[in-house]
């Protein structure tokens, strides 16, 4: 991604010719576009700041709306002109939201000070325009971005007779399957999810996924308390997010043990779930469970609506406690300040999420592939000297 040089076309080292090095336009995104220009953004803000009780109580509220047009977008040319893609100004999105902050000084005496503050924000966006004027890989026009797209389920197939049957173009009888074209990647069986064929084309694939929740939180913010008593100080911060949608994929993907004779590497991978606490489909009528334990379903997708979690979390994010020597002592030591402190970070997380750390889940997709390490818990001891 070469932002600084998109308008000039992108060259790369080519195949040597007569023992001489060559340069050639990048086949993937190097096509020159003389009409390429800067993105354009209009933003409108409305805010209010209020102070009461001799400035002990402060309230701040803001609303913003931002419209970005002529977004740089890589569109496909299908190789018709020798290049796969072309950078162009092809899309528009809007972002808006509101934020608030409340501060209150509960005590503000010389020997005792306590200020509590809380802030929160809600932000959302909309895909406004595409290059073709229709929905594309970047989003659905008029709908939010950051959506989780998943298959819609309607219980389980309790018997093979319930699986839809159709005829392919060769006249062969086939069960509803997952795959593309005539390739029978996987036929549904009893004990599998009933996946809704949204476009009624007699096959289940990515075209049947629908927007099933936003990876953005409904609300997020923090709560801060600042204390000072004589020469001691204490700061405590909690952060939170409410209403994020996520899928913890490792739990379900680890069930894809496959055929142990043909896929021994997959079969040796650990199961990332407690089988004693999970219920699997075993007989007709079973509900509120996972597909049958030997289902091939685990091999092709964990993107189903019943696996989506609506996650709330709050973290004991940071705490710092310090002590400063009285000024008359520090001055005798020819110092302006002498302070020792101890601090902790990411101490506890309170959440309903089944994964490791909801804060590390991709905010754009809501998909947790298990590759992000949880934020580390840290304990620090320090000394501050000012001369």
């Amino acid at each position: 991604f070469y932002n600084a040089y998109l308008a000039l076309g992108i060259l790369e080292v080519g195949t040597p010719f007569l023992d001489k090095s060559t340069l050639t336009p990048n086949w993937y995104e190097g096509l020159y576009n003389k009409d390429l220009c800067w993105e354009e953004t209009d933003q409108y803000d409305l805010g209010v700041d209020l102070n009461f009780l001799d400035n002990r109580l402060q309230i701040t509220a803001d609303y913003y709306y931002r419209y970005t047009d002529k977004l740089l977008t890589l569109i496909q040319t299908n190789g018709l002109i020798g290049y796969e893609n072309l950078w162009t100004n092809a899309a528009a999105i809007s972002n808006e939201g509101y934020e608030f902050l409340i501060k209150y000084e509960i005590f503000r005496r010389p020997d005792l000070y306590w200020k509590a503050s809380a802030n929160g924000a809600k932000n959302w966006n909309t895909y406004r325009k595409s290059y073709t004027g229709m929905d594309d890989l970047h989003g659905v026009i008029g709908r939010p971005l950051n959506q989780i797209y998943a298959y819609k389920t309607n219980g389980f197939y309790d018997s093979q007779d319930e699986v839809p049957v159709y005829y392919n173009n060769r006249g062969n009888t086939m069960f509803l399957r997952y795959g593309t074209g005539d390739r029978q990647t996987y036929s549904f069986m009893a004990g599998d999810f009933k996946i809704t064929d949204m476009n009624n084309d007699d096959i289940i694939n990515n075209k049947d996924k629908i927007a099933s929740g936003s990876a953005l939180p409904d609300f997020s913010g923090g709560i801060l308390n600042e204390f000072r008593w004589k020469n001691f100080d204490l700061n405590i911060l909690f952060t939170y997010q409410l209403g994020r949608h996520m899928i913890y994929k490792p739990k379900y993907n680890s069930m894809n043990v496959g055929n142990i004779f043909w896929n021994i590497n997959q079969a040796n991978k650990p199961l990332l779930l407690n089988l004693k606490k999970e219920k699997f489909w075993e007989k007709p009528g079973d509900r509120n469970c996972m597909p049958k334990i030997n289902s091939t379903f685990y091999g092709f997708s964990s993107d189903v609506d019943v696996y989506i979690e609506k996650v709330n979390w709050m973290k004991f994010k940071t705490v710092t406690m310090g002590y400063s020597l009285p000024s008359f002592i520090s001055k005798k030591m020819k110092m302006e300040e002498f302070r020792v402190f101890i601090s902790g970070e990411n101490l506890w997380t309170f959440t309903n999420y089944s994964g490791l750390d909801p804060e590390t889940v991709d905010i754009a997709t809501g998909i947790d592939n298990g590759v992000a390490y949880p934020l580390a818990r840290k304990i620090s001891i320090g000394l501050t000297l000012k001369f």
Side-chain angles (χ1 to χ4, degrees):
F1 195 88
Y2 307 88
N3 282 344
Y5 305 103
L6 292 181
L8 303 177
I10 302 171
L11 298 178
E12 63 184 7
V13 176
T15 304
F17 180 74
L18 298 177
D19 295 327
K20 303 293 184 181
S21 60
T22 64
L23 291 176
T24 182
N26 181 282
W27 68 272
Y28 184 75
E29 55 180 356
L31 183 60
Y32 171 66
N33 181 0
K34 65 181 180 63
D35 296 321
L36 205 63
C37 65
W38 293 104
E39 297 177 351
E40 298 178 357
T41 298
D42 293 321
Q43 180 166 330
Y44 306 92
D45 298 272
L46 179 65
V48 59
D49 292 298
L50 303 173
N51 292 279
F52 304 96
L53 306 175
D54 191 22
N55 293 325
R56 295 184 67 172
L57 174 61
Q58 304 175 41
I59 299 175
T60 301
D62 295 285
Y63 169 81
Y64 74 91
Y65 178 86
R66 181 168 61 246
Y67 184 88
T68 303
D69 198 5
K70 299 182 179 180
L71 280 168
L72 289 171
T73 307
L74 194 63
I75 64 171
Q76 294 182 344
T77 64
N78 297 319
L80 296 179
I81 51 179
Y83 300 90
E84 288 292 322
N85 304 284
L86 171 69
W87 281 104
T88 186
N89 301 98
I93 61 172
S94 65
N95 288 273
E96 58 185 310
Y98 57 82
E99 303 171 354
F100 78 88
L101 172 65
I102 299 176
K103 296 181 180 180
Y104 184 63
E105 294 179 336
I106 301 172
F107 298 108
R108 58 179 182 184
R109 300 198 299 264
D111 61 340
L112 178 61
Y113 180 83
W114 177 13
K115 181 170 71 175
S117 59
N119 74 297
K122 179 176 176 60
N123 310 96
W124 61 96
N125 54 45
T126 305
Y127 192 46
R128 297 293 182 181
K129 186 170 61 177
S130 71
Y131 176 71
T132 62
M134 298 182 291
D135 304 337
D136 57 21
L137 295 175
H138 302 289
V140 178
I141 295 178
R143 297 291 299 272
L145 302 171
N146 309 95
Q147 293 287 301
I148 296 179
Y149 287 87
Y151 296 108
K152 182 180 180 180
T153 61
N154 184 24
F156 294 88
Y157 291 115
D158 285 331
S159 69
Q160 198 64 31
D161 293 337
E162 294 183 4
V163 181
V165 175
Y166 65 96
Y167 296 95
N168 65 7
N169 54 13
R170 298 177 182 175
N172 298 323
T173 301
M174 302 183 70
F175 289 107
L176 180 69
R177 70 196 191 285
Y178 174 87
T180 57
D182 283 335
R183 182 182 178 188
Q184 188 172 342
T185 304
Y186 164 63
S187 294
F188 286 86
M189 299 179 293
D192 290 337
F193 280 127
K194 284 184 180 179
I195 304 293
T196 304
D197 184 7
M198 299 301 296
N199 58 359
N200 296 313
D201 63 353
D202 297 324
I203 194 167
I204 301 299
N205 54 32
N206 287 337
K207 295 179 181 179
D208 296 300
K209 291 182 179 180
I210 60 173
S212 304
S214 175
L216 296 177
D218 289 336
F219 205 72
S220 61
I223 301 171
L224 174 66
N225 279 278
E226 302 172 70
F227 302 91
R228 286 199 305 272
W229 177 66
K230 296 183 178 180
N231 295 95
F232 292 93
D233 62 86
L234 178 65
N235 289 275
I236 299 174
L237 172 64
F238 289 89
T239 57
Y240 65 88
Q241 285 186 345
L242 306 176
R244 280 195 65 188
H245 291 84
M246 305 177 187
I247 296 182
Y248 181 57
K249 283 196 169 188
K251 175 179 178 179
Y252 308 104
N253 290 345
S254 69
M255 290 294 295
N256 178 27
V257 296
N259 187 312
I260 62 173
F261 299 105
W262 299 103
N263 193 5
I264 191 67
N265 291 330
Q266 181 64 41
N268 288 336
K269 291 183 178 179
L271 290 173
L272 301 178
L273 70 164
N274 188 341
L275 294 178
K276 294 181 179 180
K277 295 183 179 181
E278 298 293 341
K279 180 182 177 183
F280 297 85
W281 186 96
E282 296 182 76
K283 62 184 182 303
D286 283 348
R287 295 294 182 267
N288 300 319
C289 57
M290 297 172 66
K292 62 183 178 182
I293 201 166
N294 63 339
S295 173
T296 312
F297 174 84
Y298 295 108
F300 76 79
S301 181
S302 56
D303 300 335
V304 293
D305 54 2
V306 294
Y307 291 161
I308 297 176
E309 304 177 47
K310 190 169 185 179
V311 177
N312 306 313
W313 62 263
M314 173 177 281
K315 277 195 174 186
F316 190 2
K317 191 64 177 176
T318 60
V319 58
T320 301
M321 182 171 63
Y323 175 78
S324 300
L325 285 179
S327 58
F328 72 91
I329 297 179
S330 59
K331 287 180 179 179
K332 288 182 179 180
M333 300 170 64
K334 298 182 179 181
M335 288 186 293
E336 182 179 340
E337 180 183 5
F338 183 100
R339 178 175 175 267
V340 294
F341 66 89
I342 182 172
S343 67
E345 184 177 348
N346 298 313
L347 298 179
W348 287 284
T349 301
F350 310 93
T351 182
N352 62 341
Y353 183 48
S354 64
L356 298 180
D357 188 348
E359 190 175 4
T360 63
V361 177
D362 192 333
I363 197 71
T365 66
I367 302 299
D368 186 351
N369 289 310
V371 297
Y373 198 79
L375 296 178
R377 180 178 297 150
K378 300 178 183 178
I379 304 295
S380 304
I381 299 175
L383 173 66
T384 302
L385 302 176
K386 290 185 181 180
F387 296 91

